[in-house]
């Protein structure tokens, strides 16, 4: 097996040829937003085995901005675990040899973490919340049901593709440039019929909103916000409704709440009692100082560490 660099056209053609579902986080929109990137292909003789969209930051593998929640090498044809590990090993060996550092999340579908560790990369395990069917209202925990009932009495729920009154400045944190870039991406995804907006209005004002993006199999909660003093249960009502819409209308197989690092958000998502699924975050650096900086960057995400009182 060997790795070769490929063009965007070849990359997309291989995905179209081999995959029924092209994940939204590695398709055309991802190609457009990751301006600094490397596209590689793993091949053996004349057989194309895998492709990978690699975002580049300086001389490292990292997303400049959090455009999409995940990355992952795409296997083009079904492989047994032995062959699959061989493919992943050659990819991660390539990354760890060529680049000074790697700091990226992989999709929950990625399971062979030994292929990362065996090449000298640290795997930090994070988790997300995923459902594979509609949630039944009567099976939600009583507190969550009560919150949703309260919101349904007071707010107007809207699900459509109109983002004109969606407050992206509330939903997207970071610099003005990051807000602009990620806002532009979200709008383009919706315009391309791969996303929808869920909003609630109170007294004719939008007080909270979600943006959901999707491909043929997965829907992801990409952005969310709520105004101060939001009606109790409004966000829960939106998420419950967004999940219904994803399965009833979009016909996805999975809905990913997409978020677990900020402890308060994880507590809220946990109230839905969805499946908790781990995903790997790769941390690698060629230098000890660089490695420690990446570790500290992960640990010190604002809101990640919660101060509990200890007896």
């Amino acid at each position: 097996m060997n790795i070769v660099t490929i063009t965007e056209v070849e990359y997309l053609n291989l995905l179209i040829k081999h995959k029924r579902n092209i994940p939204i986080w590695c398709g055309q929109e991802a190609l457009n937003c990751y301006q600094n990137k490397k596209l590689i292909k793993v091949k053996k003789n004349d057989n194309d085995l895998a492709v990978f969209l690699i975002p580049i930051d300086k001389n490292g593998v990292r997303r400049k901005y959090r455009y999409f929640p995940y990355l992952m090498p795409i296997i083009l044809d079904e492989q047994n675990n032995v062959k699959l590990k061989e493919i992943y090993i050659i990819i991660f060996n390539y990354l760890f040899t060529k680049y000074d550092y790697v700091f990226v999340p992989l999709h929950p579908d990625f399971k062979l973490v030994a292929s990362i560790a065996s090449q000298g990369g640290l795997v930090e395990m994070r988790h997300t919340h995923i459902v594979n069917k509609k949630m039944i209202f009567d099976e939600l925990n009583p507190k969550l049901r009560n919150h949703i009932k309260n919101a349904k009495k007071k707010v107007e729920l809207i699900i459509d593709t109109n983002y004109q009154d969606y407050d992206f400045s509330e939903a997207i944190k970071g610099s003005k440039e990051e807000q602009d870039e990620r806002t532009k991406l979200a709008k383009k995804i919706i315009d391309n019929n791969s996303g929808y907006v869920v909003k609630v209005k109170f007294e004719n004002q939008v007080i909270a909103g979600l943006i959901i993006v999707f491909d043929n199999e997965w829907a992801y909660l990409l952005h969310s916000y709520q105004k101060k003093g939001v009606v109790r249960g409004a966000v829960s009502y939106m998420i419950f409704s967004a999940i219904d819409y994803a399965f009833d209308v979009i016909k996805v197989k999975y809905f990913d709440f997409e978020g677990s690092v900020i402890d308060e958000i994880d507590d809220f998502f946990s109230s839905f009692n969805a499946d908790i699924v781990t995903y790997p975050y790769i941390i690698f650096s060629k230098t000890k100082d660089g490695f420690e900086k990446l570790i500290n960057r992960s640990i010190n995400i604002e809101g990640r560490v919660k101060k509990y009182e200890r007896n």
Side-chain angles (χ1 to χ4, degrees), residues 125-293:
M125 298 308 295
R126 300 185 181 183
H127 74 250
T128 185
H129 302 258
I130 294 173
V131 292
N132 60 11
K133 60 183 178 181
K134 289 175 58 174
M135 307 194 87
I136 299 172
F137 183 77
D138 289 341
E139 294 180 359
L140 299 176
N141 76 60
K143 184 177 179 181
L144 187 59
R145 289 202 308 268
N146 180 269
H147 284 181
I148 293 173
K149 286 178 180 178
N150 178 72
K152 288 180 73 172
K153 294 175 183 176
K154 298 178 179 179
V155 304
E156 175 191 0
L157 178 81
I158 302 167
I159 300 180
D160 58 21
T161 56
N162 178 18
Y163 47 71
Q164 298 304 322
D165 53 359
Y166 188 90
D167 194 339
F168 286 96
S169 65
E170 287 279 354
I172 301 173
K173 308 306 178 186
S175 67
K176 180 65 164 55
E177 181 184 54
E178 179 173 0
Q179 287 183 336
D180 290 345
E181 288 291 315
R182 294 174 66 191
T183 296
K184 181 171 66 176
L185 173 64
K187 290 179 176 180
K188 192 168 184 181
I189 290 172
I190 294 169
D191 289 341
N192 289 339
N193 300 314
S194 293
Y196 58 94
V197 184
V198 184
K199 296 168 288 189
V200 288
K201 285 187 174 181
F202 179 69
E203 296 179 346
N204 208 35
Q205 297 291 321
V206 175
I207 58 171
L210 313 175
I211 286 181
I212 313 298
V213 299
F214 58 87
D215 49 49
N216 288 342
E217 294 185 357
W218 288 77
Y220 303 93
L221 200 173
L222 188 65
H223 297 305
S224 66
Y225 76 93
Q226 62 184 49
K227 300 288 188 180
K228 289 183 179 179
V230 67
V231 172
R232 178 171 61 87
V235 176
S236 301
Y237 182 29
M238 286 193 304
I239 292 177
F240 183 80
S241 303
I243 293 171
D244 266 3
Y245 191 86
F247 288 104
D248 282 345
V249 179
I250 308 301
K251 307 294 185 183
V252 297
K253 295 181 179 179
Y254 310 98
F255 183 97
D256 187 349
F257 288 61
E258 209 295 288
S260 70
V261 173
I262 298 174
D263 197 63
E264 185 176 286
I265 294 175
D266 184 57
D267 287 347
F268 171 61
F269 285 167
S270 293
S271 69
F272 286 84
N273 201 34
D275 292 332
I276 294 176
V277 181
T278 58
Y279 64 91
Y281 207 108
I282 304 175
I283 300 177
F284 168 82
S285 175
K286 289 181 176 178
T287 67
K288 180 180 179 181
D289 181 61
F291 180 74
E292 290 177 349
K293 286 180 179 178

Side-chain angles (χ1 to χ4, degrees), residues 90-141:
I90 193 173
I91 290 173
F92 294 119
N93 179 269
Y94 172 86
L95 295 183
F96 299 161
T97 301
K98 184 175 179 63
Y99 297 102
D100 292 339
Y101 64 90
V102 179
F103 191 66
V104 291
L106 300 183
H107 193 272
D109 275 344
F110 187 93
K111 307 299 182 185
L112 279 171
V113 295
S115 61
I116 302 169
S118 68
Q119 301 308 298
L122 176 69
V123 179
E124 175 196 332
M125 298 308 295
R126 300 185 181 183
H127 74 250
T128 185
H129 302 258
I130 294 173
V131 292
N132 60 11
K133 60 183 178 181
K134 289 175 58 174
M135 307 194 87
I136 299 172
F137 183 77
D138 289 341
E139 294 180 359
L140 299 176
N141 76 60

Side-chain angles (χ1 to χ4, degrees), residues 78-88 111-112:
E78 188 172 348
Q79 306 284 341
N80 62 41
N81 284 343
V82 173
K83 293 296 183 184
L84 194 58
K85 185 176 180 181
E86 290 176 358
I87 294 170
Y88 286 143
K111 307 299 182 185
L112 279 171

Side-chain angles (χ1 to χ4, degrees), residues 5-6 16 18 29 37-38 75 105 135 169 207 229 249 301:
T5 302
I6 57 176
I16 293 168
H18 289 272
E29 297 309 330
K37 58 185 174 290
K38 185 93 165 187
I75 305 300
M135 307 194 87
S169 65
I207 58 171
V249 179
I301 293 172

